[in-house]
Amino acid sequence: MNRGDRVATMAWNTLRHMELYFAISSAGGVLHTVNLRLHPVDTIFIMNHAEDAFFFVDDALVPMVEAFPTSD
């Protein structure tokens, strides 16, 4: 990760997510919390617009992410 990289997180409010808050900012990254209640198309648009370099997702939310639309 380079300084200033945007890092998206999609997670519930857990200790693991709180650790990401500190780890990402301590490493010089910019935390981008993704609203998991948005429509998948809107979520993809926002993440692309933000130019997120990394994406952390909670295990419980993987099925939601797998249903995201992909472009060819």
Side-chain angles (χ1 to χ4, degrees):
M1 182 173 87
N2 296 316
R3 188 166 190 75
D5 277 350
R6 284 165 294 285
V7 181
T9 62
M10 181 181 274
W12 297 111
N13 293 330
T14 62
L15 180 58
R16 180 180 290 165
H17 200 203
M18 187 183 79
E19 288 171 346
L20 285 170
Y21 272 79
F22 291 109
I24 293 166
S25 58
S26 294
V30 178
L31 179 68
H32 175 212
T33 55
V34 177
N35 184 342
L36 49 102
R37 291 172 178 85
L38 291 175
H39 190 278
V41 172
D42 296 329
T43 303
I44 294 297
F45 175 83
I46 291 167
M47 290 174 66
N48 286 334
H49 183 71
E51 297 179 354
D52 293 322
F54 300 95
F55 181 41
F56 287 91
V57 61
D58 239 345
D59 291 342
L61 301 173
V62 169
M64 180 189 302
V65 173
E66 289 176 337
F68 281 4
T70 59
S71 61
D72 296 328

